[in-house]
Amino acid sequence: MSFVSVNIEQGAETPVKLTRRALAKQRTRERVLAAARRLFSERGYEGATIRDIAQAAGMSTGAVFASFADKSELFEEILTADYEVIYAQMTQAARTAKTVDEALLGLFGVAYSFHVEQLPLLRASISVSWTRSEAAERRARNDLKHIFKLIGVALQRAVDEGQLKKDIDAKLLAEIVWDVYVANYRRAVYDGWSVEALLARLSDQLKVIFAGARA
Amino acid sequence: MSFVSVNIEQGAETPVKLTRRALAKQRTRERVLAAARRLFSERGYEGATIRDIAQAAGMSTGAVFASFADKSELFEEILTADYEVIYAQMTQAARTAKTVDEALLGLFGVAYSFHVEQLPLLRASISVSWTRSEAAERRARNDLKHIFKLIGVALQRAVDEGQLKKDIDAKLLAEIVWDVYVANYRRAVYDGWSVEALLARLSDQLKVIFAGARA
DNA sequence: GGGGGAGGATGATCATGTTCAACGAACGCG
DNA sequence: CGCGTTCGTTGAACATGATCATCCTCCCCC
């Protein structure tokens, strides 16, 4: 027992075996993700073939499928990574806002700003979101649940601070806000709206939606 | 000039050449549509392969592409045909309603009732709608424009009849209603809601959306 | 009525997502 | 250490959507 099994590192992190094999697999996985992110961005979802990605990552076609069930899962993984980065920003934006409208426009603005920087990836994400496996669908829904909750928190705060009536159905309201945002998000992507255009539209819509709820 | 060219039929219909060849092509097209509708319904979008469809229609694979640019266009064609059938029903439902809410729930109910009868086709339609060519996207949007207009008419009537305030932004309101319906429609399909469940949900949401607009 | 041309149909062919048997290196047990 | 097992990797093979040279039938003009 001298050199083998890198388990030596002061453990206490996660009960995960860090054998050489596992490390290699992890590196492989990361190489695929890096290559895939680049190619998806450059060529869109359909344009980036598994063969290209595998070659760019320096491995055979089949190796990709050892780390990812299918192409859409690989893609979802990339989106999820992005999402985790912006979720913190969205939370922050909502927290520092003064009014409900500010909070909602703030957090949606953050998300869209982030995504609009890489339109090809974003477009691809929309196209894929409704296409592929139920697994991908559920995963996407799960990601969104967090954002949905963020909206709920903003609404609740507005109630507590007296901006909205006490008897509103916050869940229902949050759902409507979210539905409208998603619809606009799609339009924005397809028609190449700026962040400002999206927010202006959303602002108008929020006025209508909250019309009956303001205190 | 005795038997050839079926142009003999008392014309005056459309300035379209009814040569034997054109007729044959039209028949081919219809055979493809019939076979495709059946197979899409039975097996979903991915499950129904072009080869299967072609064989069921009694022709070669390539022949399908002579009538339709690609698989998604063939599929869109089927949906559009359906849509034209229900559009009349939706118009009727909206017209005979007494209130705005009745009108909207009525026309959405008609659409969903119709579709829910053939869930596989419907599921497939949702998945395809965001996937394929921009051409398909634009075509779908065009279809929806009619429904969108229907909503606008219902709102306008409500204003005229004094159910809604005169100064509402009908276009904005219609858009929100539509966005919310689409979102619910997707949820309904994926989660297998009944028509009643969908309408109940929509009814609640309409209350919120119209809260500030009622006269 | 006949010959040149147009255009629909065919099926081999290609590109791509995905699977799978086979390989070999890492693993872990004695 | 030695050895059977596990498991990541490979590349050929498969299914499918789409294309295209080619064929052949029908059209149309002379």
Side-chain angles (χ1 to χ4, degrees):
Chain A
M1 52 175 73
S2 47
F3 52 96
V4 232
S5 282
V6 203
N7 239 331
I8 304 157
E9 283 293 347
Q10 49 258 51
E13 297 217 283
T14 33
V16 149
K17 46 174 183 173
L18 284 181
T19 66
R20 206 182 312 177
R21 214 190 243 164
L23 281 175
K25 182 170 187 181
Q26 190 179 320
R27 251 209 346 258
T28 294
R29 189 187 161 86
E30 274 155 19
R31 269 189 301 154
V32 173
L33 280 173
R37 170 181 289 276
R38 185 167 60 78
L39 291 180
F40 279 138
S41 290
E42 287 175 10
R43 312 181 188 174
Y45 184 76
E46 313 272 348
T49 72
I50 294 285
R51 282 169 181 77
D52 290 346
I53 292 171
Q55 191 180 359
M59 65 192 63
S60 73
T61 312
V64 173
F65 291 97
S67 294
F68 305 93
D70 54 24
K71 191 183 181 183
S72 75
E73 186 181 300
L74 166 58
F75 186 67
E76 285 294 325
E77 200 76 23
I78 292 170
L79 295 183
T80 298
D82 277 4
Y83 159 76
E84 276 165 13
V85 170
I86 64 174
Y87 180 65
Q89 294 181 32
M90 294 175 71
T91 308
Q92 185 59 23
R95 192 165 290 153
T96 60
K98 291 223 162 55
T99 66
V100 212
D101 303 67
E102 260 183 54
L104 295 177
L105 293 178
L107 69 89
F108 288 141
V110 164
Y112 189 62
S113 302
F114 185 92
H115 280 148
V116 89
E117 286 166 17
Q118 31 195 355
L119 258 195
L121 211 60
L122 181 53
R123 268 175 165 268
S125 92
I126 289 191
S127 108
V128 169
S129 67
W130 288 105
T131 320
R132 294 295 160 177
S133 63
E134 304 228 355
E137 163 69 12
R138 300 215 178 280
R139 169 202 289 262
R141 282 204 200 189
N142 193 49
D143 283 357
L144 298 183
K145 219 183 285 176
H146 291 145
I147 299 183
F148 196 70
K149 193 157 197 174
L150 218 49
I151 300 174
V153 168
L155 291 181
Q156 192 52 53
R157 213 188 95 193
V159 169
D160 295 343
E161 294 181 354
Q163 296 174 44
L164 297 182
K165 288 182 191 162
K166 288 228 178 300
D167 64 343
I168 64 164
D169 185 337
K171 194 162 178 308
L172 194 62
L173 216 48
E175 195 176 86
I176 294 173
V177 169
W178 173 248
D179 290 349
V180 167
Y181 169 66
V182 170
N184 280 312
Y185 182 79
R186 290 202 166 92
R187 286 190 200 104
V189 173
Y190 271 102
D191 298 341
W193 291 2
S194 67
V195 182
E196 290 73 29
L198 177 73
L199 292 184
R201 167 80 66 121
L202 269 176
S203 177
D204 287 344
Q205 291 170 324
L206 287 183
K207 283 192 191 106
V208 172
I209 296 170
F210 286 160
R214 309 240 186 231
Chain B
M1 53 175 72
S2 48
F3 52 97
V4 235
S5 281
V6 204
N7 241 329
I8 305 159
E9 284 293 346
Q10 51 257 53
E13 297 215 284
T14 34
V16 150
K17 45 174 183 176
L18 284 182
T19 66
R20 205 184 311 179
R21 210 187 247 165
L23 281 176
K25 181 169 188 183
Q26 190 178 322
R27 250 208 349 259
T28 295
R29 189 187 162 83
E30 274 155 19
R31 271 188 300 153
V32 173
L33 280 173
R37 169 179 290 275
R38 185 167 60 77
L39 291 180
F40 279 138
S41 290
E42 286 174 12
R43 311 181 189 174
Y45 184 75
E46 314 272 349
T49 72
I50 294 284
R51 281 170 181 75
D52 291 345
I53 292 171
Q55 191 180 0
M59 66 192 63
S60 72
T61 312
V64 173
F65 291 96
S67 294
F68 304 93
D70 55 25
K71 192 182 182 184
S72 74
E73 186 180 300
L74 167 58
F75 186 68
E76 286 292 325
E77 199 75 22
I78 292 171
L79 295 183
T80 298
D82 277 6
Y83 159 77
E84 276 167 11
V85 170
I86 64 175
Y87 180 65
Q89 294 182 31
M90 293 175 71
T91 308
Q92 185 59 24
R95 192 165 291 154
T96 60
K98 289 222 165 52
T99 66
V100 211
D101 303 67
E102 260 184 54
L104 295 177
L105 293 177
L107 67 90
F108 288 140
V110 165
Y112 190 63
S113 302
F114 186 94
H115 281 146
V116 88
E117 286 167 16
Q118 31 194 354
L119 258 196
L121 212 58
L122 182 52
R123 269 177 163 270
S125 90
I126 288 190
S127 100
V128 170
S129 68
W130 289 105
T131 319
R132 294 297 162 175
S133 62
E134 304 228 355
E137 163 69 12
R138 302 217 174 278
R139 168 201 289 263
R141 283 202 198 189
N142 195 48
D143 283 356
L144 298 183
K145 221 182 284 177
H146 291 145
I147 299 184
F148 195 70
K149 194 158 197 172
L150 218 51
I151 300 174
V153 169
L155 291 181
Q156 192 52 54
R157 212 187 94 193
V159 169
D160 295 344
E161 293 180 354
Q163 296 174 45
L164 296 182
K165 289 181 190 162
K166 287 226 179 300
D167 64 344
I168 64 164
D169 185 336
K171 194 162 180 308
L172 194 61
L173 215 49
E175 193 176 87
I176 295 173
V177 169
W178 174 248
D179 291 348
V180 167
Y181 169 66
V182 170
N184 280 313
Y185 181 80
R186 290 204 166 91
R187 285 191 200 102
V189 172
Y190 271 100
D191 297 341
W193 292 1
S194 67
V195 182
E196 290 73 29
L198 176 72
L199 292 184
R201 168 79 67 120
L202 269 177
S203 176
D204 287 344
Q205 292 171 324
L206 287 183
K207 281 189 192 109
V208 172
I209 295 170
F210 286 158
R214 308 239 188 234

